[in-house]
């Protein structure tokens, strides 16, 4: 599914930066923040849901630890 999502994201980004009237309207009305990967440390060692701390990042969303889940912690602060 990761490969499929790469193509979907590529299409989305291509549309968003285009001069299509719909894309211009979207850009004028919304602040768009795209985060392509929240788990680079885990993926590097073969974990697709867990970070290096061994925690499933999908289960840490409500109360992420700044120490053990920094990507989730800082993403929540950004949005």
């Amino acid at each position: 599914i990761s490969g499929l999502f790469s193509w979907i994201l590529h299409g989305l980004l291509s549309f968003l930066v285009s001069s299509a009237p719909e894309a211009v309207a979207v850009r004028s009305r919304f602040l768009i923040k795209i985060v392509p990967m929240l788990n680079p440390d885990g993926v590097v060692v073969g974990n697709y849901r867990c970070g290096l701390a061994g925690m499933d990042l999908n289960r840490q969303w409500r109360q992420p630890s700044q120490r053990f889940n920094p990507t989730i912690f800082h993403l929540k602060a950004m949005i």
Side-chain angles (χ1 to χ4, degrees):
I1 199 145
S2 179
L4 176 62
F5 183 72
S6 293
W7 285 107
I8 292 170
L9 186 57
H10 182 269
L12 174 65
L13 291 174
S14 294
F15 165 73
L16 288 173
V17 300
S18 75
S19 59
E22 299 86 356
V24 173
V26 167
R27 289 194 312 266
S28 71
R29 292 186 179 106
F30 299 98
L31 173 63
I32 301 165
K33 297 180 181 183
I34 297 174
V35 181
M37 182 183 288
L38 286 174
N39 189 23
D41 59 339
V43 169
V44 111
V45 295
N47 298 330
Y48 293 97
R49 292 178 66 131
C50 297
L52 285 179
M55 298 175 155
D56 182 343
L57 297 179
N58 292 330
R59 303 291 179 250
Q60 305 307 315
W61 184 256
R62 285 195 179 149
Q63 293 181 313
S65 161
Q66 185 173 4
R67 180 175 179 194
F68 296 113
N69 320 111
T71 54
I72 303 297
F73 183 88
H74 291 292
L75 173 65
K76 285 186 77 170
M78 181 183 76
I79 59 173

